[in-house]
Amino acid sequence: MNTVLVVTALAIFATMALALVRALKGPTVYDRIVAVNVFGTKTVLIVALITAISGNDDLIDVALVYALINFIAVVAVLKLVRMRDLGAAGEGDITDG
Amino acid sequence: MVETVLFWLSAACLLTGGAFGVLGGIGLIRFPDFYSRLHAAGITDTLCALLIIVGLLIQAGLALISIKLLLILLFLLFTAPTASHALARAAMVDRSPPEVTGDPVPGEPSSKS
């Protein structure tokens, strides 16, 4: 079973590398945010896989918290990019489309 | 007998999940404009997370860790589409319309060409 887990972890690491390439290249700022979002989700999966590989069950809490923080961070960064201010709202906001 | 079936089921879930992840990464690199890249990233993100966490759940059986894995799956299934939607919406607000080829469909945003 461990071999399957390690192969899956390697596939996830490859995905993270590809996402990093897009985050560095990305012509627009939204391309970079998508890539960082993918990177964060894959980090959650990597932590869950490392929990299963190492057999140390406490690590799963890290993945749980990271899943929450990742979403908040992506939405906050989007808002900051659009409005230049986390407190501002109104015309041209991310909910305005 | 049951262990063998569970082993292969879990291995199939994990490996397909990893394959979907890599496919999404390749799509993220190779697709031409932002919205198609968002499509690749958003869809494979959800499916990859679903398959890998289901694979880990099958291995874990009934324990505290499986409840936490289910919670992670729940959060990811809620937040991944929401984040994709927010990104697409922010890009549309920013007036970067999708690249469209072929005949324009009435009522849909079209590109300059």
Side-chain angles (χ1 to χ4, degrees):
Chain A
M1 198 69 236
N2 237 333
T3 324
V4 177
L5 288 171
V6 170
V7 169
T8 313
L10 285 177
I12 299 296
F13 276 129
T15 314
M16 289 167 91
L18 293 169
L20 262 192
V21 171
R22 178 47 74 193
L24 291 174
K25 266 170 63 180
T28 66
V29 68
Y30 300 110
D31 287 302
R32 296 178 207 269
I33 301 176
V34 173
V36 169
N37 186 22
V38 171
F39 194 87
T41 317
K42 295 300 180 280
T43 310
V44 175
L45 295 178
I46 273 291
V47 174
L49 281 168
I50 288 174
T51 309
I53 291 171
S54 70
N56 186 1
D57 284 0
D58 297 336
L59 267 176
I60 199 72
D61 295 333
V62 179
L64 195 53
V65 172
Y66 203 96
L68 292 170
I69 291 178
N70 184 41
F71 174 64
I72 304 288
V74 166
V75 174
V77 166
L78 260 183
K79 171 109 182 168
L80 195 63
V81 165
R82 281 298 303 147
M83 301 303 285
R84 305 277 163 212
D85 183 4
L86 283 179
E91 187 82 7
D93 208 345
I94 57 171
T95 54
D96 211 19
Chain B
M1 179 59 204
V2 178
E3 281 87 32
T4 327
V5 171
L6 285 184
F7 174 88
W8 286 110
L9 206 61
S10 143
C13 277
L14 286 168
L15 291 177
T16 11
F20 268 116
V22 175
L23 284 179
I26 294 171
L28 198 59
I29 295 285
R30 289 186 54 92
F31 273 152
D33 83 323
F34 166 72
Y35 296 94
S36 47
R37 288 198 275 265
L38 183 64
H39 167 80
I43 288 181
T44 55
D45 236 22
T46 314
L47 195 55
C48 170
L50 182 75
L51 283 170
I52 287 182
I53 291 182
V54 166
L56 290 178
L57 266 175
I58 293 172
Q59 275 187 50
L62 267 182
L64 184 61
I65 189 170
S66 49
I67 294 171
K68 287 177 180 171
L69 278 169
L70 268 179
L71 270 179
I72 293 178
L73 183 59
L74 192 72
F75 288 142
L76 284 180
L77 286 185
F78 270 109
T79 58
T82 315
S84 299
H85 179 78
L87 267 160
R89 199 150 196 180
M92 282 304 281
V93 172
D94 208 18
R95 289 181 191 78
S96 54
E99 284 175 25
V100 181
T101 55
D103 295 332
V105 180
E108 284 193 359
S110 59
S111 68
K112 299 146 293 244
S113 58

